[in-house]
Amino acid sequence: MSNIKRNVINSAKSNVVEMAHGNGGRAMAEFIDTLFIAAFNNGQLNQKTDASCFHTQQGRMVMTTDGHVISPLFFPGGNIGSLSIHGTINDIAMMGALPRYISCGFILEESYPLSDLSDIVLAMAKAAKEANVEIITGDTKVVEKGKADGVFITTTGIGELASGINISPQHIHAGDKIIVNGSLGDHGISILAQRNTLGFETSLQSDSASLSDLVQTILASFSTELHCLRDPTRGGLAATLNELAQQSKLGFSLDEDAIPIKDEVDAACELLGLDPLYIANEGKFVAFCSAYAANDILSLIKQHPLGKEAAIIGEVTHDPRYLVELTTPYGGKRIVHWRYDDQLPRIC
Amino acid sequence: MSNIKRNVINSAKSNVVEMAHGNGGRAMAEFIDTLFIAAFNNGQLNQKTDASCFHTQQGRMVMTTDGHVISPLFFPGGNIGSLSIHGTINDIAMMGALPRYISCGFILEESYPLSDLSDIVLAMAKAAKEANVEIITGDTKVVEKGKADGVFITTTGIGELASGINISPQHIHAGDKIIVNGSLGDHGISILAQRNTLGFETSLQSDSASLSDLVQTILASFSTELHCLRDPTRGGLAATLNELAQQSKLGFSLDEDAIPIKDEVDAACELLGLDPLYIANEGKFVAFCSAYAANDILSLIKQHPLGKEAAIIGEVTHDPRYLVELTTPYGGKRIVHWRYDDQLPRIC
């Protein structure tokens, strides 16, 4: 057991979250010191002000926020803590920006075990450190048992956007190639498998990971050839591509055979009647890039640990209907619809 | 009914929040368009990327975050929406910084009425506009009925800190005067009165308000004489002063008679056995300033609509025990303790 975890448990009256941990008294101050400030250790947090200061250069920054309500809180390949940091880093990376600072707001349910909470917070600290971002400010609230579901975490990130980088749906062009950096659906299916009621087992792990390093690697060589990036989280590749088709006012033509999907994901989807294109990912991007550079960009991605199974999965077309179309292995075509609802609640 | 509210209700299948509003499908995209993008109307949100871009100058910025879990969600003087914006603006203002951008993360309980949600979101938009800040990015999650309590909102703000401004507990000096900008306990008591079970009525309103304009007014004339600012929210003045005493390693001596407290707050505290010094405020600050400038600063504060009842309530002392002491009207002294727990859960 880590020292931090031991201290958190030893300094509390019991081994669970109490209402007092969120009520602004001495218990809250000690709780924040023992857990959050100890885990996220940095000069800003140590000052214990309600806001933290950082230095800027003239230029552009990006800001993003995400609430995390995933159930269950722990899953193969991570927990809500690592997921919250990876998710926020990735939203910044999808703008082509370099993630620098993160804030975290915790909403805790009374009686949640302090031991599990410590594991979540330590996973956040580890994920932030690995991606070279600092958690500089935070907040803790506690609600009565039955008024939340264990732990909700809202993370907000800010990053620096270098001049000359313009990654957006408006920069997608007809003829662009569409690349994904690896297999789809791993996160969603590993969460589903973890939900006890579903009755299937798999060795699959969530793909939850920080994509910032990989994106920076591409930008270093292909900053003008990379036109748009988006992470296909909730709603999967299908929702992401439909949203981008609407925003870019173009169509996307996909080659079903080229889309990397693990056998375990395929098998689970068969069993449960799901379509892997609609399943959430947490360590994947879909990239739109100039056709002439696509093979070089693909080679570069494949050299990165998070891009070994990368593939060109389709291309951008002129289509006044803004549709996402899939060519099946038998040469047929089907439309990948934008569903009203999605199949999996609380996947992130 | 506002157009936005009407559109939100008309475009949904029913008049309540559905799981589909958070699942990454078309329903979610339409919900975000109709409600959040319409209400927070600005160029950044219209781009519908997962992160938003803003421009910076060389210098310092501050970042703050706060989760809001107040119960009930509507109260005299505001609702969770206006509160979340005011709270975040105030945390930035307490650093002496100018609030610029805010992100908001919503965690919604399935079946929450869309009409009430619209009112909350419109109150956020109004509060942001009044304080000249932009809500540039956001996120929406929905959890099953019974897994949250209506609406939780986590807001994160960033602001610009002008050079030469150094407001922090480390700048508090022995001899400094302690000023509050108005009566204490209004927020907490008005929330308590709103909780049906408590059986008392009052005409009191929450003091929820943006303190940014008032702080900027003081800084314009007294940037070096103003040493530290803090908003006494959860835990009230007592918790705030005890925390600052620890951080500054000084003692604070208060004059009980000088502390402005409304008769209605006093009466409610008598009735409920509460101490107003421990009751939350949402539109108040405690300011530490040079003794020689204190009267001039007080006069300036009193000219502002949010400072009419401002008062000098005490001074900073050398005290190796870092205590907060109160001199009663009869000349006696009592210690204002830092309680382990606080009296009121879910007050913000």
Side-chain angles (χ1 to χ4, degrees), chain A residues 22 26-27 50 52 54 56-57 59 61-64 66-67 139-141 144 156 234 339-340 342 346, chain B residues 22-23 26-27 50 52 54 56-57 59 61-64 66-67 139-141 144 156 234 339-340 342 346:
Chain A
R26 190 162 47 82
D50 284 335
S52 280
F54 60 92
T56 55
Q57 297 301 317
M61 301 195 87
V62 300
M63 181 181 203
T64 186
D66 258 318
D139 179 63
T140 307
K141 293 290 188 309
E144 303 86 345
T156 304
R234 278 182 286 182
R339 295 186 184 163
Y340 178 80
D342 194 56
R346 301 189 59 187
Chain B
N23 284 1
R26 190 162 46 80
D50 284 335
S52 281
F54 59 93
T56 55
Q57 298 301 317
M61 299 195 89
V62 300
M63 181 181 204
T64 185
D66 258 317
D139 178 63
T140 308
K141 294 290 189 308
E144 303 86 346
T156 304
R234 278 182 286 183
R339 293 186 186 164
Y340 177 81
D342 194 57
R346 301 187 59 189

Side-chain angles (χ1 to χ4, degrees), chain B residues 31-321:
Chain B
F31 179 56
I32 289 171
D33 276 359
T34 322
L35 179 53
F36 301 106
I37 292 183
F40 301 151
N41 176 41
N42 62 56
Q44 282 300 330
L45 273 179
N46 290 343
Q47 292 184 20
K48 299 182 193 178
T49 45
D50 284 335
S52 281
C53 184
F54 59 93
H55 291 264
T56 55
Q57 298 301 317
Q58 183 166 10
R60 297 176 300 168
M61 299 195 89
V62 300
M63 181 181 204
T64 185
T65 198
D66 258 317
H68 300 274
V69 299
I70 191 165
S71 173
L73 296 170
F74 290 81
F75 49 84
N79 63 45
I80 188 174
S82 49
L83 180 76
S84 70
I85 299 296
H86 292 153
T88 290
I89 286 172
N90 291 349
D91 280 345
I92 292 172
M94 295 304 105
M95 301 286 283
L98 187 69
R100 292 295 309 274
Y101 307 108
I102 286 184
S103 69
C104 52
F106 290 85
I107 296 174
L108 306 175
E109 185 185 11
E110 184 186 16
S111 295
Y112 187 75
L114 287 174
S115 167
D116 289 351
L117 179 62
S118 301
D119 288 338
I120 289 167
V121 171
L122 290 167
M124 294 178 79
K126 180 166 177 280
K129 193 173 179 193
E130 284 169 357
N132 204 24
V133 301
E134 283 187 302
I135 298 172
I136 59 170
T137 190
D139 178 63
T140 308
K141 294 290 189 308
V142 182
V143 298
E144 303 86 346
K145 194 163 169 55
K147 298 293 187 186
D149 195 10
V151 177
F152 298 147
I153 304 175
T154 301
T155 39
T156 304
I158 52 184
E160 291 163 354
L161 186 53
S163 64
I165 307 279
N166 286 297
I167 305 274
S168 83
Q170 285 73 44
H171 289 86
I172 300 175
H173 302 294
D176 278 1
K177 295 292 180 186
I178 305 171
I179 299 176
V180 294
N181 66 308
S183 64
L184 297 178
D186 300 7
H187 176 73
I189 295 299
S190 70
I191 301 303
L192 271 189
Q194 200 65 8
R195 293 184 184 161
N196 296 328
T197 49
L198 281 166
F200 76 97
E201 280 188 36
T202 171
S203 59
L204 203 65
Q205 290 216 331
S206 164
D207 59 347
S208 179
S210 158
L211 293 166
S212 180
D213 184 65
L214 174 53
V215 170
Q216 290 295 321
T217 303
I218 304 171
L219 286 173
S221 302
F222 298 98
S223 67
T224 55
E225 289 82 3
L226 184 62
H227 298 158
C228 184
L229 284 168
R230 192 67 67 88
D231 50 343
T233 55
R234 278 182 286 183
L237 184 72
T240 296
L241 288 183
N242 271 286
E243 211 177 319
L244 289 174
Q246 294 289 326
Q247 290 176 15
S248 64
K249 301 188 193 304
L250 291 162
F252 303 145
S253 173
L254 307 181
D255 173 5
E256 186 168 23
D257 247 0
I259 301 173
I261 293 168
K262 289 196 169 79
D263 288 344
E264 293 143 295
V265 171
D266 248 343
C269 284
E270 284 279 329
L271 186 72
L272 300 166
L274 300 172
D275 181 338
L277 299 187
Y278 292 84
I279 307 284
N281 310 278
E282 290 291 345
K284 295 294 162 5
F285 61 63
V286 49
F288 295 77
C289 58
S290 304
Y292 72 87
N295 283 321
D296 291 341
I297 292 175
L298 180 66
S299 298
L300 187 63
I301 295 173
K302 279 174 164 287
Q303 290 168 35
H304 193 278
L306 296 179
K308 285 178 184 154
E309 295 161 35
I312 296 173
I313 61 166
E315 62 182 14
V316 180
T317 60
H318 284 294
D319 180 347
R321 303 161 301 166

